[in-house]
Amino acid sequence: EVTPQQMQWRPGPYIGRDDRETLLGSADPQDWVKLSTMLLGPPPKSFTFAPKHKSNAYGATEAGVALYDGEMNG
């Protein structure tokens, strides 16, 4: 945790109480395929998943801290 935090910083990554809860909070499509496999059984061999759109509203940066709309001026 970094203090003091600034208003434009995105929140830290979600860490659940156990691995399953962390998977439920994930934005990675492969984690959701893993959850579906746990609940519904393995998918067919020909199954491939391609997300239609990016599910995360924040962009990634090298420092691990992203601003909501690129670099702030000032």
Side-chain angles (χ1 to χ4, degrees):
E1 190 168 321
V2 179
T3 53
Q5 293 178 346
Q6 294 191 10
M7 185 66 132
Q8 71 269 22
W9 287 3
R10 70 184 285 184
Y14 175 74
I15 300 172
R17 295 172 284 189
D18 59 3
D19 291 338
R20 189 175 303 149
E21 193 171 90
T22 303
L23 285 174
L24 285 168
S26 174
D28 184 17
Q30 292 303 318
D31 289 341
W32 285 94
V33 171
K34 211 182 298 184
L35 280 167
S36 298
T37 302
M38 289 168 47
L39 295 172
L40 304 173
K45 296 286 182 190
S46 62
F47 176 77
T48 58
F49 179 77
K52 291 184 177 182
H53 56 82
K54 187 175 178 183
S55 62
N56 193 351
Y58 297 103
T61 64
E62 293 176 17
V65 177
L67 301 175
Y68 57 89
D69 196 17
E71 294 296 323
M72 297 275 299
N73 295 330

